[in-house]
Amino acid sequence: MKDKTFRNPEAVLDIQDKPAVLPWIGLSLQHLFTMFGATVLVPKLVGLDPGIALVSSGIGTIVYLMITKGKIPAYLGSSFAFIAAMKMLLETKGYGAIAQGAITTGVVYFIVSMIVKRSGTDWLNKILPPIVVGPVVMVIGLGLASNAANSAMFNEAGKYDFKYVVVALLTLALTIFFNMWFKGFLGLIPILLGIISGYVLALAFGIVDVSIIQQAPWVGLPNFEIPFVQYTPTLEIGAIITMAPIAFVTMTEHIGHLMVLNKLTKRNFFEDPGLHKTLAGDGAAQIVAGLIGGPPVTSYGENIGVLAITRVHSVFVIGGAAVFAIALGFVGKVSAVILSIPGPVISGISFVLFGVIAASGLKILIENQIDFDRKKNLLIASVILVTGIGGLVVEAGAFTLSAMALATVLGIVLNLILPNTARNEEK
């Protein structure tokens, strides 16, 4: 366990460092802009109010920071793992069923949290050695690479658009420029500057839909769905059975993101504040989301990418982003401006964000001197990378095992069952 006085020498702002007010605002907005698109996309695909998704993500993040004692710089946004289940439940049973499912997944997290607290985390080192962790981290970064590339090439009609490619590449180039040549405060917000610059370019190329900004109200109350206020809950066993197992999928992603954060911050969050605390924090955030009308939440790879690039790991910055998200849930015009940021701008940023995470996984393999002349190591890494990056999923009804979760499970199983030395390697 790290000394309580430990400070990461590579961090510009470490976990407990509080920035000055103006830089704080800029750094928090950078995280907000980064997670906004994905967080509001989930409710849009399901049929929920994006405003309430912002509010629930902000409150959920604050709850998570409180339960983890402000030790982990993680932002929680809408989870993609529950989309199919939520869409089906909303169409057949209404939001009350989604709420029960979300609350149930939170309870599952709490149960697993108590088991982990009792059993400790020594088992983690056995099932998640560097040969598993490194490729899994790479999958977290590269698993959405094809989505980023597609958003950079295809317009809303699904056709290849050269203007989209130009905007994406120029946004990428400007973000790299800001990251490499700007110093001081501007050097800490290359992602925010990249998004703003890309947005201006997109406006010049005429690919921004300004109508959603014109139609949005300045102030509006999100569509809260509070039990016994907006609706009278009835027991939905089907919803509980449908969504509860998905909790184990998001737990796998949760652990994967923690592994990346451990590497970035040079800490071991599995030990301090403890995996049981991080699971409890995530579970509590999901329960809060279910009680106010939002989708279940989870930690975001995009925001981890921002941490990696800027080396600003302050939980105060993450907390600031959460406060802004809650506020934007009530300010329609500003939400619409961010919502109008076109795909190629986000893609240009994502090429950097996802790539940095993948490089962190490669760094884990290098630092632990993994020997790829050993067949066991070669096979484990190969299966994890191709399964995760290729997008192989397992679906059974509304239950979906994501590519990242499946890759992690396969890596763990192979590591446990394969002998350290193949028979044809024996001397």
Side-chain angles (χ1 to χ4, degrees), residues 32-66:
L32 176 71
F33 276 48
T34 301
M35 70 83 193
F36 190 95
T39 290
V40 300
L41 178 60
V42 172
K44 283 179 65 180
L45 293 174
V46 173
L48 300 177
D49 177 21
I52 196 62
L54 282 173
V55 174
S56 62
S57 77
I59 295 176
T61 298
I62 292 173
V63 168
Y64 180 85
L65 293 176
M66 292 173 61

mmCIF file of all heavy atoms in Angstrom, residues 32-66:
data_model
loop_
_atom_site.group_PDB
_atom_site.id
_atom_site.type_symbol
_atom_site.label_atom_id
_atom_site.label_comp_id
_atom_site.label_asym_id
_atom_site.label_seq_id
_atom_site.Cartn_x
_atom_site.Cartn_y
_atom_site.Cartn_z
ATOM 1 N N LEU A 32 -16.231 17.130 -18.991
ATOM 2 C CA LEU A 32 -17.649 17.163 -19.332
ATOM 3 C C LEU A 32 -17.859 16.984 -20.829
ATOM 4 O O LEU A 32 -18.671 16.169 -21.273
ATOM 5 C CB LEU A 32 -18.259 18.483 -18.873
ATOM 6 C CG LEU A 32 -19.729 18.709 -19.246
ATOM 7 C CD1 LEU A 32 -20.621 17.789 -18.439
ATOM 8 C CD2 LEU A 32 -20.131 20.160 -19.033
ATOM 9 N N PHE A 33 -17.099 17.744 -21.629
ATOM 10 C CA PHE A 33 -17.222 17.655 -23.079
ATOM 11 C C PHE A 33 -16.875 16.256 -23.566
ATOM 12 O O PHE A 33 -17.478 15.743 -24.508
ATOM 13 C CB PHE A 33 -16.292 18.678 -23.749
ATOM 14 C CG PHE A 33 -16.880 20.055 -23.864
ATOM 15 C CD1 PHE A 33 -17.480 20.660 -22.768
ATOM 16 C CD2 PHE A 33 -16.826 20.750 -25.052
ATOM 17 C CE1 PHE A 33 -18.017 21.935 -22.858
ATOM 18 C CE2 PHE A 33 -17.368 22.029 -25.167
ATOM 19 C CZ PHE A 33 -17.964 22.628 -24.058
ATOM 20 N N THR A 34 -15.890 15.649 -22.927
ATOM 21 C CA THR A 34 -15.413 14.337 -23.374
ATOM 22 C C THR A 34 -16.450 13.248 -23.161
ATOM 23 O O THR A 34 -16.634 12.373 -24.009
ATOM 24 C CB THR A 34 -14.118 13.970 -22.627
ATOM 25 O OG1 THR A 34 -13.132 14.977 -22.884
ATOM 26 C CG2 THR A 34 -13.579 12.629 -23.092
ATOM 27 N N MET A 35 -17.138 13.295 -22.036
ATOM 28 C CA MET A 35 -18.088 12.220 -21.733
ATOM 29 C C MET A 35 -19.492 12.510 -22.241
ATOM 30 O O MET A 35 -20.331 11.604 -22.337
ATOM 31 C CB MET A 35 -18.137 11.967 -20.214
ATOM 32 C CG MET A 35 -18.773 13.063 -19.380
ATOM 33 S SD MET A 35 -20.576 12.969 -19.315
ATOM 34 C CE MET A 35 -20.966 14.580 -18.636
ATOM 35 N N PHE A 36 -19.762 13.765 -22.605
ATOM 36 C CA PHE A 36 -21.131 14.183 -22.885
ATOM 37 C C PHE A 36 -21.785 13.352 -23.976
ATOM 38 O O PHE A 36 -22.905 12.857 -23.814
ATOM 39 C CB PHE A 36 -21.144 15.665 -23.289
ATOM 40 C CG PHE A 36 -22.514 16.273 -23.361
ATOM 41 C CD1 PHE A 36 -23.032 16.961 -22.290
ATOM 42 C CD2 PHE A 36 -23.281 16.156 -24.511
ATOM 43 C CE1 PHE A 36 -24.293 17.522 -22.348
ATOM 44 C CE2 PHE A 36 -24.549 16.706 -24.588
ATOM 45 C CZ PHE A 36 -25.053 17.395 -23.505
ATOM 46 N N GLY A 37 -21.104 13.200 -25.104
ATOM 47 C CA GLY A 37 -21.710 12.526 -26.249
ATOM 48 C C GLY A 37 -22.180 11.130 -25.933
ATOM 49 O O GLY A 37 -23.319 10.748 -26.255
ATOM 50 N N ALA A 38 -21.312 10.337 -25.288
ATOM 51 C CA ALA A 38 -21.673 8.955 -24.978
ATOM 52 C C ALA A 38 -22.756 8.889 -23.908
ATOM 53 O O ALA A 38 -23.659 8.043 -23.983
ATOM 54 C CB ALA A 38 -20.429 8.190 -24.512
ATOM 55 N N THR A 39 -22.697 9.771 -22.923
ATOM 56 C CA THR A 39 -23.666 9.754 -21.828
ATOM 57 C C THR A 39 -25.076 10.053 -22.315
ATOM 58 O O THR A 39 -26.048 9.441 -21.863
ATOM 59 C CB THR A 39 -23.253 10.748 -20.728
ATOM 60 O OG1 THR A 39 -22.084 10.259 -20.067
ATOM 61 C CG2 THR A 39 -24.351 10.913 -19.689
ATOM 62 N N VAL A 40 -25.219 10.998 -23.258
ATOM 63 C CA VAL A 40 -26.563 11.318 -23.759
ATOM 64 C C VAL A 40 -26.980 10.391 -24.899
ATOM 65 O O VAL A 40 -28.162 10.289 -25.212
ATOM 66 C CB VAL A 40 -26.660 12.796 -24.217
ATOM 67 C CG1 VAL A 40 -26.352 13.729 -23.061
ATOM 68 C CG2 VAL A 40 -25.748 13.083 -25.403
ATOM 69 N N LEU A 41 -26.008 9.707 -25.507
ATOM 70 C CA LEU A 41 -26.354 8.780 -26.589
ATOM 71 C C LEU A 41 -27.162 7.604 -26.058
ATOM 72 O O LEU A 41 -28.119 7.154 -26.709
ATOM 73 C CB LEU A 41 -25.087 8.286 -27.290
ATOM 74 C CG LEU A 41 -25.303 7.260 -28.415
ATOM 75 C CD1 LEU A 41 -26.171 7.851 -29.521
ATOM 76 C CD2 LEU A 41 -23.961 6.793 -28.973
ATOM 77 N N VAL A 42 -26.798 7.105 -24.898
ATOM 78 C CA VAL A 42 -27.496 5.950 -24.321
ATOM 79 C C VAL A 42 -28.987 6.232 -24.147
ATOM 80 O O VAL A 42 -29.828 5.476 -24.631
ATOM 81 C CB VAL A 42 -26.843 5.513 -22.992
ATOM 82 C CG1 VAL A 42 -27.699 4.447 -22.303
ATOM 83 C CG2 VAL A 42 -25.443 4.980 -23.235
ATOM 84 N N PRO A 43 -29.374 7.321 -23.450
ATOM 85 C CA PRO A 43 -30.820 7.581 -23.311
ATOM 86 C C PRO A 43 -31.506 7.845 -24.652
ATOM 87 O O PRO A 43 -32.675 7.502 -24.823
ATOM 88 C CB PRO A 43 -30.872 8.808 -22.396
ATOM 89 C CG PRO A 43 -29.536 9.442 -22.499
ATOM 90 C CD PRO A 43 -28.584 8.309 -22.698
ATOM 91 N N LYS A 44 -30.783 8.446 -25.605
ATOM 92 C CA LYS A 44 -31.374 8.691 -26.917
ATOM 93 C C LYS A 44 -31.698 7.366 -27.611
ATOM 94 O O LYS A 44 -32.740 7.221 -28.237
ATOM 95 C CB LYS A 44 -30.409 9.510 -27.785
ATOM 96 C CG LYS A 44 -30.365 10.997 -27.423
ATOM 97 C CD LYS A 44 -29.387 11.742 -28.297
ATOM 98 C CE LYS A 44 -29.810 11.743 -29.746
ATOM 99 N NZ LYS A 44 -28.860 12.479 -30.601
ATOM 100 N N LEU A 45 -30.809 6.393 -27.494
ATOM 101 C CA LEU A 45 -31.038 5.092 -28.123
ATOM 102 C C LEU A 45 -32.162 4.318 -27.437
ATOM 103 O O LEU A 45 -32.894 3.567 -28.069
ATOM 104 C CB LEU A 45 -29.753 4.259 -28.098
ATOM 105 C CG LEU A 45 -28.592 4.773 -28.962
ATOM 106 C CD1 LEU A 45 -27.345 3.931 -28.732
ATOM 107 C CD2 LEU A 45 -28.970 4.761 -30.445
ATOM 108 N N VAL A 46 -32.293 4.527 -26.123
ATOM 109 C CA VAL A 46 -33.284 3.783 -25.353
ATOM 110 C C VAL A 46 -34.655 4.453 -25.408
ATOM 111 O O VAL A 46 -35.690 3.790 -25.469
ATOM 112 C CB VAL A 46 -32.826 3.645 -23.888
ATOM 113 C CG1 VAL A 46 -33.919 3.021 -23.028
ATOM 114 C CG2 VAL A 46 -31.558 2.802 -23.815
ATOM 115 N N GLY A 47 -34.666 5.799 -25.401
ATOM 116 C CA GLY A 47 -35.924 6.547 -25.373
ATOM 117 C C GLY A 47 -36.140 7.290 -24.073
ATOM 118 O O GLY A 47 -37.257 7.687 -23.737
ATOM 119 N N LEU A 48 -35.047 7.526 -23.320
ATOM 120 C CA LEU A 48 -35.118 8.290 -22.084
ATOM 121 C C LEU A 48 -34.686 9.727 -22.340
ATOM 122 O O LEU A 48 -34.205 10.072 -23.410
ATOM 123 C CB LEU A 48 -34.214 7.653 -21.012
ATOM 124 C CG LEU A 48 -34.519 6.208 -20.612
ATOM 125 C CD1 LEU A 48 -33.486 5.721 -19.601
ATOM 126 C CD2 LEU A 48 -35.925 6.100 -20.027
ATOM 127 N N ASP A 49 -34.866 10.572 -21.336
ATOM 128 C CA ASP A 49 -34.516 11.985 -21.443
ATOM 129 C C ASP A 49 -33.009 12.161 -21.241
ATOM 130 O O ASP A 49 -32.481 11.805 -20.178
ATOM 131 C CB ASP A 49 -35.286 12.789 -20.391
ATOM 132 C CG ASP A 49 -34.921 14.261 -20.398
ATOM 133 O OD1 ASP A 49 -34.408 14.737 -21.421
ATOM 134 O OD2 ASP A 49 -35.155 14.929 -19.373
ATOM 135 N N PRO A 50 -32.274 12.733 -22.223
ATOM 136 C CA PRO A 50 -30.830 12.971 -22.041
ATOM 137 C C PRO A 50 -30.522 13.874 -20.846
ATOM 138 O O PRO A 50 -29.482 13.715 -20.208
ATOM 139 C CB PRO A 50 -30.428 13.646 -23.358
ATOM 140 C CG PRO A 50 -31.432 13.165 -24.358
ATOM 141 C CD PRO A 50 -32.720 13.074 -23.588
ATOM 142 N N GLY A 51 -31.436 14.792 -20.548
ATOM 143 C CA GLY A 51 -31.211 15.690 -19.414
ATOM 144 C C GLY A 51 -31.100 14.946 -18.102
ATOM 145 O O GLY A 51 -30.219 15.223 -17.285
ATOM 146 N N ILE A 52 -31.983 13.984 -17.889
ATOM 147 C CA ILE A 52 -31.934 13.230 -16.641
ATOM 148 C C ILE A 52 -30.719 12.320 -16.605
ATOM 149 O O ILE A 52 -30.173 12.013 -15.533
ATOM 150 C CB ILE A 52 -33.236 12.424 -16.439
ATOM 151 C CG1 ILE A 52 -33.352 11.956 -14.980
ATOM 152 C CG2 ILE A 52 -33.300 11.239 -17.362
ATOM 153 C CD1 ILE A 52 -33.437 13.071 -13.990
ATOM 154 N N ALA A 53 -30.238 11.891 -17.786
ATOM 155 C CA ALA A 53 -29.022 11.084 -17.826
ATOM 156 C C ALA A 53 -27.825 11.905 -17.358
ATOM 157 O O ALA A 53 -26.937 11.392 -16.656
ATOM 158 C CB ALA A 53 -28.779 10.565 -19.245
ATOM 159 N N LEU A 54 -27.778 13.183 -17.743
ATOM 160 C CA LEU A 54 -26.703 14.058 -17.270
ATOM 161 C C LEU A 54 -26.763 14.239 -15.766
ATOM 162 O O LEU A 54 -25.749 14.164 -15.069
ATOM 163 C CB LEU A 54 -26.800 15.425 -17.964
ATOM 164 C CG LEU A 54 -26.277 15.517 -19.390
ATOM 165 C CD1 LEU A 54 -26.601 16.882 -19.982
ATOM 166 C CD2 LEU A 54 -24.776 15.277 -19.430
ATOM 167 N N VAL A 55 -27.971 14.494 -15.265
ATOM 168 C CA VAL A 55 -28.134 14.692 -13.822
ATOM 169 C C VAL A 55 -27.733 13.434 -13.060
ATOM 170 O O VAL A 55 -27.009 13.502 -12.056
ATOM 171 C CB VAL A 55 -29.596 15.084 -13.500
ATOM 172 C CG1 VAL A 55 -29.806 15.133 -11.981
ATOM 173 C CG2 VAL A 55 -29.932 16.433 -14.115
ATOM 174 N N SER A 56 -28.192 12.280 -13.525
ATOM 175 C CA SER A 56 -27.884 11.029 -12.807
ATOM 176 C C SER A 56 -26.393 10.704 -12.887
ATOM 177 O O SER A 56 -25.819 10.164 -11.926
ATOM 178 C CB SER A 56 -28.717 9.871 -13.363
ATOM 179 O OG SER A 56 -28.415 9.627 -14.722
ATOM 180 N N SER A 57 -25.739 11.040 -14.008
ATOM 181 C CA SER A 57 -24.299 10.785 -14.100
ATOM 182 C C SER A 57 -23.532 11.686 -13.149
ATOM 183 O O SER A 57 -22.570 11.252 -12.505
ATOM 184 C CB SER A 57 -23.802 10.979 -15.535
ATOM 185 O OG SER A 57 -23.661 12.345 -15.864
ATOM 186 N N GLY A 58 -23.967 12.952 -13.043
ATOM 187 C CA GLY A 58 -23.296 13.871 -12.128
ATOM 188 C C GLY A 58 -23.471 13.470 -10.678
ATOM 189 O O GLY A 58 -22.504 13.417 -9.902
ATOM 190 N N ILE A 59 -24.710 13.165 -10.291
ATOM 191 C CA ILE A 59 -24.971 12.749 -8.905
ATOM 192 C C ILE A 59 -24.272 11.422 -8.620
ATOM 193 O O ILE A 59 -23.667 11.242 -7.550
ATOM 194 C CB ILE A 59 -26.480 12.626 -8.658
ATOM 195 C CG1 ILE A 59 -27.156 13.996 -8.786
ATOM 196 C CG2 ILE A 59 -26.741 12.039 -7.269
ATOM 197 C CD1 ILE A 59 -28.672 13.953 -8.639
ATOM 198 N N GLY A 60 -24.341 10.508 -9.580
ATOM 199 C CA GLY A 60 -23.701 9.208 -9.397
ATOM 200 C C GLY A 60 -22.201 9.334 -9.202
ATOM 201 O O GLY A 60 -21.606 8.635 -8.370
ATOM 202 N N THR A 61 -21.571 10.234 -9.961
ATOM 203 C CA THR A 61 -20.131 10.450 -9.814
ATOM 204 C C THR A 61 -19.790 11.004 -8.440
ATOM 205 O O THR A 61 -18.822 10.569 -7.800
ATOM 206 C CB THR A 61 -19.629 11.410 -10.911
ATOM 207 O OG1 THR A 61 -19.843 10.820 -12.195
ATOM 208 C CG2 THR A 61 -18.143 11.707 -10.735
ATOM 209 N N ILE A 62 -20.585 11.954 -7.968
ATOM 210 C CA ILE A 62 -20.344 12.537 -6.635
ATOM 211 C C ILE A 62 -20.517 11.476 -5.551
ATOM 212 O O ILE A 62 -19.715 11.389 -4.610
ATOM 213 C CB ILE A 62 -21.294 13.727 -6.396
ATOM 214 C CG1 ILE A 62 -20.912 14.884 -7.326
ATOM 215 C CG2 ILE A 62 -21.234 14.180 -4.935
ATOM 216 C CD1 ILE A 62 -21.874 16.046 -7.311
ATOM 217 N N VAL A 63 -21.545 10.643 -5.674
ATOM 218 C CA VAL A 63 -21.758 9.554 -4.718
ATOM 219 C C VAL A 63 -20.560 8.605 -4.726
ATOM 220 O O VAL A 63 -20.060 8.189 -3.666
ATOM 221 C CB VAL A 63 -23.057 8.786 -5.055
ATOM 222 C CG1 VAL A 63 -23.141 7.483 -4.256
ATOM 223 C CG2 VAL A 63 -24.272 9.648 -4.769
ATOM 224 N N TYR A 64 -20.075 8.279 -5.928
ATOM 225 C CA TYR A 64 -18.913 7.394 -6.064
ATOM 226 C C TYR A 64 -17.681 8.004 -5.394
ATOM 227 O O TYR A 64 -16.950 7.312 -4.667
ATOM 228 C CB TYR A 64 -18.638 7.146 -7.545
ATOM 229 C CG TYR A 64 -17.455 6.241 -7.815
ATOM 230 C CD1 TYR A 64 -17.600 4.862 -7.811
ATOM 231 C CD2 TYR A 64 -16.194 6.767 -8.076
ATOM 232 C CE1 TYR A 64 -16.521 4.020 -8.054
ATOM 233 C CE2 TYR A 64 -15.110 5.937 -8.317
ATOM 234 C CZ TYR A 64 -15.281 4.572 -8.311
ATOM 235 O OH TYR A 64 -14.203 3.748 -8.548
ATOM 236 N N LEU A 65 -17.439 9.283 -5.633
ATOM 237 C CA LEU A 65 -16.280 9.950 -5.023
ATOM 238 C C LEU A 65 -16.384 9.945 -3.506
ATOM 239 O O LEU A 65 -15.371 9.786 -2.803
ATOM 240 C CB LEU A 65 -16.167 11.388 -5.537
ATOM 241 C CG LEU A 65 -15.815 11.556 -7.028
ATOM 242 C CD1 LEU A 65 -15.846 13.032 -7.419
ATOM 243 C CD2 LEU A 65 -14.451 10.957 -7.332
ATOM 244 N N MET A 66 -17.592 10.116 -2.984
ATOM 245 C CA MET A 66 -17.775 10.129 -1.527
ATOM 246 C C MET A 66 -17.511 8.752 -0.928
ATOM 247 O O MET A 66 -16.811 8.627 0.079
ATOM 248 C CB MET A 66 -19.195 10.603 -1.193
ATOM 249 C CG MET A 66 -19.466 12.064 -1.521
ATOM 250 S SD MET A 66 -21.206 12.523 -1.289
ATOM 251 C CE MET A 66 -21.419 12.203 0.472
#
